[in-house]
């Protein structure tokens, strides 16, 4: 007997704390329960991330369900 079960990517976590000039940030997260937060974040508790500086370009693509982003 063969049973096929779907697999999902889960809990992709990115923690940010940046300062300075000329930031070009590109993030793409695929899956379920992706989070982007500060350095003290965890899956159940997000803290805001801090980005300080000048001349910044930020592109974020979060594709999936129950994604969280706090800045």
């Amino acid at each position: 007997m063969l049973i096929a079960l779907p697999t999902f990517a889960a809990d992709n976590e990115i923690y940010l704390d940046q300062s300075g000039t000329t930031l070009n940030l590109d993030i793409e997260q695929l899956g379920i329960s992706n989070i982007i937060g500060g350095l003290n974040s965890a899956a159940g508790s997000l803290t805001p991330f801090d980005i300080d500086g000048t001349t910044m370009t930020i592109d974020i693509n979060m594709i999936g369900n129950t994604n969280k982003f706090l800045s």
Side-chain angles (χ1 to χ4, degrees):
M1 174 187 262
L2 178 64
I3 298 174
L5 298 174
T7 58
F8 299 98
D11 295 327
N12 298 304
E13 302 172 3
I14 296 175
Y15 307 111
L16 299 171
D17 186 9
Q18 190 277 337
S19 63
T21 60
T22 315
L23 171 67
N24 185 4
L25 178 64
D26 297 309
I27 297 173
E28 182 170 309
Q29 289 183 304
L30 304 172
I32 300 169
S33 301
N34 299 312
I35 65 172
I36 299 175
L39 292 178
N40 295 319
S41 295
S45 175
L46 279 180
T47 61
F49 70 77
D50 185 26
I51 296 180
D52 298 311
T54 59
T55 315
M56 293 187 226
T57 302
I58 301 172
D59 295 311
I60 298 174
N61 294 316
M62 297 177 82
I63 302 165
N65 296 322
T66 65
N67 297 320
K68 297 178 183 176
F69 167 78
L70 183 61
S71 69

